[in-house]
Each structure stands twice: as C-alpha cells, then as structure tokens.
Amino acid sequence: MRVGVAAVWACATALGVAAVESFNETLDLHTLPGGRVHAAFSFAMHSDDESLRHFRILPRALLQPVASLDVDAFQLTLNAGRWQYASWGAPSGSQSVANGAEVWASFGEAHRSAALPLPTRWRRLTSALAGTFCASLDAIEDTTSVTIPARYVWSDAPENTTALHAYLPSESVCTENLTPLLKLLPCKGGAGLASLIQMHTILASEFHSVSVQGYTVVLGVTSVMRPPMLPDESHVWMLSDIFSRNLTTTCPVATTSEVWVAEPNEHVASDDDDDDDDWVPSPWVRRMQTRVYDTTSLAPYGGTLALSIAAPVRGPFLKPPPLQATRQVLGFGQERNLVRLTLHNALPTETVQVVYYDQIPWKVLPLMHTLHTTLAFDPADLPEDAVSYRDDYDAPFVTASTYRPAVLRGKTGAVELVLRVPAQSTLTVTYTLLKRVLHYDEHVPDPHRGIDLPPAVFVPLATGQSMRAWAYAHRHRPVHAVQAERIYTAPSLLDIAVPDFSMPYNIILFYSTYVALFFGSLLNAMVRRFRDVVV
C-alpha cells in the first residue's frame, strides 16, 4: 500500500489511536545442487495506518527521511557473488541479485507538484540510505541514474508511475552494512532469528545480499552456503554448521516467527507436477518436502532449536528455468566491440515476451542501427503431440524498442527492447558498442582495471501457464512484497584506452635532474675561484 505523507498524518491525528503494528520474521532454508544451502532471512514490519509520528516497531531512522521526501516506495540491495539461475532457480524473498548496489525509488505523481525537484529528492534519498546502512552510495547522481517504468520493479505499480534506478556494480557487502540493518530490528541482533546472523558466516558464503524496502519495511539477508568438502552423495547440514550457533532465544515483539526447511524427498509428490511436467524431463525433477518450525516459543524444542538438512550433491533437484537469458560483451580495443544477448525458451508450445533493459553509461555508445537477431530452433526437442506454427518462428523478434541516448559527460542512457522468444528456441541479439575516448581527468582512480558496465535486466511479460507454474513451484513460501520476476546478468568489465599517466612524472623527473645538474655546474663554474695553494 502506498499512501501520501499528508494523508497518513491526517488519518493518524483524526483517529488519535495507537498504531497496530506487527513484526513477522521468517527464515527460509532450502537445499541447492552441490550440497549447498540457501538461507533467506525476511523481517517484515507493518503498521495498519503506517503511522509516521509514533514509532514502536517501525524504524524511525529509516522511515522519517524517506517520508519527508514523499517517496512512494523504494528498494536498496547490496549483493556480493553471482546467482546461478540455471542451477539454483529463482531466489527467495528479494529478487534483486545484481552484483554490487542497486537502488530503486518510486515517486508517483506527487513529485510534479512538490516543492523540491525530483533530482534533489532522489539525491537526498540515496544520501539518507547511504548514511543509514553505511554504504558508499555517493557515486549515485544525475549522471548515473535513469528513469524507467515502475512495473519493472513492482508488478502492481500503476501505469503512470515512474521509478528512478541506479547501479553501483563495484560496491560490496561488509560488516558495516549488516550491523546497521540489525539495529533497525525491534530486538536488534540479540534475540529471535536475527541472532543467527553472524558476520563471519554470512560474509564467507558463496553468495550473500542485504536488502531493504518500504513502507511496509522488509529487511532481508540472503546467503548461499557451500560445504568445505563435497561428499559423494549428500551433505548433512546442522543449524550450527550454517550459522555457528543454534537458535536459543526468541523475540517477544514478533507476531509470527517461523523457520521453513525445504529439502528433496523422492517419496513425496508435488501438487503442481501435473500442470507443467510436460515441458521438463523427469530426471531433472526431485520431489520436495517442507518442514515448518514455529519459533515464537522454543519450549516445544526443549529451549533450543537444532535441526539438520540433507543437501544432495549430484544432480539438480529444481526444474531448470523455462527462460534463461545472458549478456556478453565481446571484442577488444576501442572498436569492434559487440554486445550479445542470448535468450533460451524451454517451453514446448508457449512464446514468451521479454523486456530487455540495460543502462548505457555515457562512456560507451551503442550503435542501434547494427541490431541483428538470429533464431535457432531444434524441432527434435518438441514433444510428439506438440504443434508449432511457422509464423511464430518468423521475424521480427523485436516487437518494440525504446532508446534514450546518453548525454556526453552528462547523463546515463538506457535501452529497452521487447523481445519475442518462440517455444523451444534460442534467440540471439547483437549490436555494436563503441567506447569513447576519455579526458585524462575523467578516468577512475584505477584506470587500468577498466570501467564497469551495469548488469542487464530481463523481465518476462504475460507469462503463460507453464512459466507461472514454474515460478509458483520455486516460491514455496509467501513473500511480503509483490515484485516483478526479473533475471539479472553479470556485470561486464570493459577495457578502455588509458594514456601513460607515468609520462608526465618521467618528464618532470628528467628535466628536474637535468636542470639541477646544469644549474649546479654553471653556478660552480661562475663562482669558483682558482688559485695556487702553497703546501
């Protein structure tokens, strides 16, 4: 629910009653291939009237700066590592798994009549989030931010709602980000499920992330643990192995507190298998069972919750995603660089519409007139009773396109393509990318490393029955925020032409030495007096 600040204050003043707030905490544990375990914490704090004057559970330090800027909704994620969509499936909870920092904010229609302009409010919002979570968001400014439709982030956003979006691909996650997040919780990190969040275990995982979104504040911590040694068949995880401790305390403020454990079980049937088993081979599917532990009170567990999880090592237990998308930047030097998009649709009969969204920094220039599409189709992959039509596999595969060019040394651009991927086919899209020549003072502190190209986002549109069933099968617990399904690619590192920054110093040193020797010799010859010395 998105309510204006003035309306919320008026409602709270008129009623004159205390806000009925709730705090729900959830820990989602499920196994991944290779003996891994995915742990996703979700701490949801909600108020019935979204009171912004009297805080009991909702974090004042987070909501007051956000409310003063009349922000409808926002989301901040800090990720480290790479999420493997092909083998891990869809992430639980927050679905923003882009490397580095990612910030979204929706201002709706109210920003047009606000006293402060939108860029100023956007800058103040990122500064407030940077101060709250000790994140280095100072690089987010007008030149690195773009405006996109809010439906790319929240599927229930109105059509006329816009969102501002910015990436920081080189930002990392550290203890300075986790500690402020725990301080926003009612019981901090000393009780409840938050007591399991140990810095050294989370930051040592293969993938870890920190996220926050509001007004219904949802704080999330996600990590993918990998066993130190891979056994032959399965690896048994204890709760103390994952978090270096068992659950021994509860948060008295929590309305609900649950631990969900999902692990494979070959003897358990799934309810959704009958709907979409026709498009995935049965050897790639393992039945899942889910155990739910109510941790509002630890008395039923003897005062300590210690559980075990059996994680398989060989073979995936999740259905591979019906849509897989990647982006690669090929080439070398200043010219002949190519961006290649590869989208694979594994559905047998359904065509998928996908929105490709990519930020274009002003340091590079895409040549959209070089856009080229290629479709590869293998009819052998279709079931025997499937019917395919020739028109579905004929061009064009780009049904709509929007290109906002970047302003040189001024503003980041964006590319949006609506792609049509037929069933059982692989669509390849390529276009040329040129790199601009930078001034000597425009290079980053480490220019020889190159520049970061933010990750691309793929958003499926109007998904069919099979794709909705796949998404539902991977979401084995309800999520608090309604978000659009998004697929992130890995960021790219582009090498750029770098001048020899050492040459000025070499010249300075050479001429300083030359002048010192010349001046010293000349001065010595002018002021020295030669005379005979009698010994």
Side-chain angles (χ1 to χ4, degrees), residues 40-360:
F41 292 88
S42 177
F43 305 97
M45 291 165 280
H46 178 70
S47 175
D48 59 342
D49 60 357
E50 300 185 10
S51 175
L52 299 178
R53 287 186 175 180
H54 307 286
F55 292 88
R56 188 176 67 92
I57 295 181
L58 295 179
R60 179 193 299 267
L62 176 64
L63 286 186
Q64 275 195 338
V66 173
S68 64
L69 299 173
D70 198 16
V71 180
D72 287 349
F74 72 95
Q75 180 177 352
L76 167 66
T77 56
L78 300 171
N79 305 308
R82 182 178 179 182
W83 185 267
Q84 305 291 339
Y85 284 94
S87 57
W88 296 354
S92 300
S94 176
Q95 299 174 359
S96 297
V97 292
N99 295 69
E102 183 182 14
V103 184
W104 306 76
S106 173
F107 293 89
E109 294 293 328
H111 74 272
R112 298 181 180 179
S113 59
L116 294 176
L118 183 59
T120 302
R121 297 163 64 193
W122 168 249
R123 180 57 180 165
R124 292 187 179 183
L125 173 63
T126 56
S127 299
L129 294 177
T132 303
F133 294 96
C134 297
S136 302
L137 304 180
D138 297 336
I140 296 179
E141 51 188 10
D142 295 342
T143 59
T144 57
S145 305
V146 295
T147 302
I148 63 172
R151 66 178 183 273
Y152 292 171
V153 194
W154 302 280
S155 58
D156 61 342
E159 290 295 332
N160 57 354
T161 305
T162 58
L164 275 77
H165 180 219
Y167 280 119
L168 286 180
S170 59
E171 184 70 14
S172 185
V173 184
C174 57
T175 56
E176 286 81 0
N177 308 129
L178 285 172
T179 302
L181 183 138
L182 296 178
K183 290 183 177 180
L184 298 177
L185 300 177
C187 297
K188 313 303 180 188
L193 297 180
S195 62
L196 298 177
I197 300 179
Q198 302 297 313
M199 305 299 176
H200 62 281
T201 57
I202 298 296
L203 298 180
S205 59
E206 190 173 357
F207 174 86
H208 47 272
S209 69
V210 177
S211 63
V212 57
Q213 48 188 307
Y215 282 104
T216 301
V217 181
V218 180
L219 305 178
V221 178
T222 303
S223 62
V224 176
M225 309 292 183
R226 182 177 182 177
M229 297 182 61
L230 292 179
D232 295 334
E233 296 297 334
S234 63
H235 180 73
V236 178
W237 290 89
M238 303 299 294
L239 195 63
S240 58
D241 298 334
I242 303 176
F243 305 110
S244 300
R245 63 172 58 185
N246 294 321
L247 184 62
T248 57
T249 59
T250 61
C251 182
V253 186
T255 306
T256 61
S257 179
E258 295 178 336
V259 176
W260 292 65
V261 179
E263 56 186 359
N265 190 338
E266 300 294 345
H267 303 288
V268 178
S270 178
D271 296 336
D272 58 326
D273 286 344
D274 297 336
D275 299 333
D276 53 354
D277 267 355
D278 53 343
W279 63 271
V280 60
S282 57
W284 291 82
V285 181
R286 285 189 178 180
R287 305 294 189 258
M288 299 292 296
Q289 66 173 354
T290 303
R291 294 175 289 164
V292 181
Y293 299 88
D294 186 1
T295 55
T296 307
S297 174
L298 297 179
Y301 314 106
T304 302
L305 178 63
L307 51 88
S308 61
I309 307 174
V313 173
R314 299 185 180 276
F317 67 92
L318 292 175
K319 298 179 181 179
L323 176 66
Q324 300 184 27
T326 59
R327 185 202 64 183
Q328 294 176 318
V329 180
L330 310 176
F332 56 91
Q334 288 296 105
E335 298 180 354
R336 299 185 181 182
N337 291 275
L338 195 69
V339 177
R340 182 173 65 185
L341 312 176
T342 305
L343 296 92
H344 177 67
N345 182 11
L347 300 177
T349 58
E350 298 178 8
T351 299
V352 179
Q353 296 278 344
V354 183
V355 175
Y356 158 69
Y357 163 73
D358 203 348
Q359 287 192 9
I360 306 298

Side-chain angles (χ1 to χ4, degrees), residues 338 340-344 370-377 393-398 419-422 425-431:
L338 195 69
R340 182 173 65 185
L341 312 176
T342 305
L343 296 92
H344 177 67
T370 62
L371 189 69
H372 180 70
T373 60
T374 304
L375 185 71
F377 168 65
Y393 301 91
D394 290 338
F397 302 106
V398 180
L419 305 175
R420 182 177 60 88
V421 188
S425 63
T426 301
L427 178 65
T428 304
V429 182
T430 59
Y431 60 88

